[in-house]
Amino acid sequence: SQQGEEDPQALSIQEGENATMNCSYKTSINNLQWYRQNSGRGLVHLILIRSNEREKHSGRLRVTLDTSKKSSSLLITASRAADTASYFCGTGGTSYGKLTFGQGTILTVHP
Amino acid sequence: DAGVIQSPRHEVTEMGQEVTLRCKPISGHDYLFWYRQTMMRGLELLIYFNNNVPIDDSGMPEDRFSAKMPNASFSTLKIQPSEPRDSAVYFCASSSTRDGSYEQYFGPGTRLTVT
């Protein structure tokens, strides 16, 4: 069964707008990672947030984690057409490396 | 580094045939993962290895699936016999504990079609 569940399933915005995607999970985690997948390609790591962290930034990406609500959000600011992709959250438990992924959010950014 | 290498990129086979997917992880990485991605089930972890030893194969769907890692630079995922429901994209990923990073590096995937 899936641990992380992304919301929304699909998001369509205009270039320049912000995009927010959410991830909910069920069991305790050690870390949560966000990945991007362009059509026909493998996943690419974007950012990792550990269970004792609440917020992290990387360029135009901002990730928050609320362990009390078992949820995380990924914010992409000033989106570009090149950000069009599927975005997945992967939750990591106590076993190093093992990640459980959600179904992903399909983001479409219109030029 | 060339990244994670998978072969073949596309495989079309008939039901009942044996299929072997191959993966070369990034040099120096000590973890290797095999995933399967379908529209219906999303991205599923099938099995992963640490230092060439299988750690968790609970995601392997059934006995028709087997995976090996004979050395640090090569792994195979075999399906025998293949069935149409095995059609999916299979990804290999690797990671390293040396720098404390949990980041996984994915290969480009093998798109398997079983007719």
Side-chain angles (χ1 to χ4, degrees):
Chain A
S1 63
Q2 298 295 333
Q3 161 77 311
E5 295 293 337
E6 289 90 343
D7 164 60
Q9 290 186 326
L11 181 60
S12 182
I13 60 175
Q14 295 295 127
E15 209 166 30
E17 295 180 339
N18 295 342
T20 299
M21 288 158 271
N22 303 296
C23 171
S24 60
Y25 57 92
K26 296 174 183 175
T27 61
S28 296
I29 62 170
N30 171 279
N31 67 87
L32 186 146
Q33 303 180 38
W34 285 91
Y35 286 77
R36 182 188 74 226
Q37 183 179 33
N38 289 90
S39 181
R41 311 288 281 272
L43 276 69
V44 175
H45 183 266
L46 295 176
I47 194 167
L48 176 152
I49 187 165
R50 298 179 189 274
S51 59
N52 61 354
E53 298 175 312
R54 292 297 167 260
E55 187 171 315
K56 247 185 144 171
H57 296 256
S58 177
R60 294 184 296 114
L61 306 180
R62 172 177 170 254
V63 170
T64 61
L65 178 64
D66 187 335
T67 53
S68 66
K69 295 181 180 179
K70 292 186 169 57
S71 68
S72 173
S73 67
L74 171 67
L75 168 67
I76 303 174
T77 60
S79 63
R80 306 166 182 167
D83 295 328
T84 294
S86 294
Y87 291 82
F88 295 87
C89 71
T91 51
T94 54
S95 299
Y96 172 86
K98 181 176 180 177
L99 292 177
T100 306
F101 287 94
Q103 293 279 19
T105 292
I106 300 172
L107 173 65
T108 303
V109 181
H110 300 281
Chain B
D1 202 313
V4 175
I5 299 172
Q6 291 187 247
S7 64
R9 292 295 310 278
H10 301 273
E11 177 80 36
V12 179
T13 191
E14 292 184 347
M15 182 174 64
Q17 296 297 306
E18 177 179 297
V19 175
T20 299
L21 311 181
R22 297 173 176 79
C23 174
K24 176 179 169 55
I26 293 173
S27 176
H29 281 194
D30 51 350
Y31 275 80
L32 184 139
F33 308 84
W34 281 101
Y35 292 91
R36 176 173 69 176
Q37 186 176 38
T38 62
M39 289 294 293
M40 289 294 294
R41 299 177 65 86
L43 193 63
E44 304 172 278
L45 176 64
L46 301 177
I47 184 171
Y48 73 99
F49 296 81
N50 175 221
N51 291 323
N52 314 336
V53 176
I55 302 301
D56 185 345
D57 65 354
S58 60
M60 296 286 262
E62 47 197 277
D63 292 344
R64 297 185 297 106
F65 286 69
S66 63
K68 294 182 179 179
M69 193 165 185
N71 58 63
S73 58
F74 184 65
S75 177
T76 60
L77 178 67
K78 186 176 294 186
I79 308 172
Q80 165 65 18
S82 58
E83 297 183 2
R85 59 193 168 120
D86 301 330
S87 296
V89 181
Y90 291 80
F91 289 102
C92 174
S94 68
S95 68
S96 170
T97 56
R98 284 186 300 176
D99 57 3
S101 168
Y102 291 82
E103 176 180 349
Q104 294 186 17
Y105 295 79
F106 281 73
T110 295
R111 181 172 296 276
L112 173 66
T113 303
V114 183
T115 61

